[in-house]
Amino acid sequence: MQMPTLASIGLLLALLGLGGLGWCIAQGFRIRRASLPAEEVHAQLHRLLAVNLGSVGVAAIGLAMLVAGLLL
């Protein structure tokens, strides 16, 4: 009974990470379309990079949990 729970939590984490990546893409397009100075664009994209890396990490952990739950 514990392995399906692990797979379910992994699926939720993977979907949360993918949602975060989608949000990062949308924010990146908003930043590009805004008429901001280059320094401000750089600063906003730099902050967005941290969220992007976090989303990739959460998605990777979720995928690993999903695979472990399905294989075990």
Side-chain angles (χ1 to χ4, degrees):
M1 173 127 42
Q2 294 172 347
M3 289 306 142
T5 304
L6 181 65
S8 298
I9 293 171
L11 177 64
L12 289 175
L13 282 176
L15 291 175
L16 181 68
L18 289 176
L21 288 173
W23 181 81
C24 286
I25 291 169
Q27 287 297 108
F29 279 125
R30 284 189 194 121
I31 292 170
R32 276 183 69 187
R33 278 185 271 156
S35 298
L36 299 173
E39 298 84 24
E40 182 66 25
V41 170
H42 184 269
Q44 287 188 8
L45 288 176
H46 189 69
R47 277 179 262 151
L48 190 60
L49 179 65
V51 177
N52 189 17
L53 290 175
S55 295
V56 169
V58 169
I61 290 171
L63 184 59
M65 289 174 67
L66 178 64
V67 168
L70 291 175
L71 290 179
L72 298 177

